[in-house]
Amino acid sequence: MEETTPTQKLHLVMGGRVTDPRGIEFADPESIHVVGVFSSYDAAEEAWRAQAQRTVDDAEMKYVVVHIHQLLTPDA
């Protein structure tokens, strides 16, 4: 069976309270806010920017974009 590289690139936007504003360790992983899954980086970045702007005054809140496609096919 031949392996194929997926052409779809999925991105997850999520966020929550972090233990240190300089890092990405979430204080309570069970309460992470999942914004959504997006099929383009541009759409994910737009969603990330909106959430980050909404919580800009809270240094312990952090939102990130996770490249799901890189997790699914790490060697691609």
Side-chain angles (χ1 to χ4, degrees), residues 36-71:
V37 176
F38 301 87
S39 61
S40 74
Y41 181 79
D42 290 339
E45 183 181 29
E46 185 177 323
W48 165 82
R49 194 172 302 282
Q51 292 301 317
Q53 184 64 37
R54 190 177 63 78
T55 60
V56 71
D57 293 331
D58 187 348
E60 293 178 343
M61 286 296 286
K62 183 174 280 193
Y63 281 85
V64 295
V65 176
V66 179
H67 301 274
I68 296 175
H69 60 276
Q70 291 178 348
L71 297 173

Side-chain angles (χ1 to χ4, degrees), residues 9-60:
K9 296 190 175 183
L10 299 175
H11 303 83
L12 168 68
V13 178
M14 65 181 200
R17 193 160 302 282
V18 291
T19 57
D20 180 351
R22 296 168 294 187
I24 56 169
E25 183 175 321
F26 291 99
D28 183 12
E30 286 77 20
S31 68
I32 287 177
H33 173 218
V34 175
V35 178
V37 176
F38 301 87
S39 61
S40 74
Y41 181 79
D42 290 339
E45 183 181 29
E46 185 177 323
W48 165 82
R49 194 172 302 282
Q51 292 301 317
Q53 184 64 37
R54 190 177 63 78
T55 60
V56 71
D57 293 331
D58 187 348
E60 293 178 343

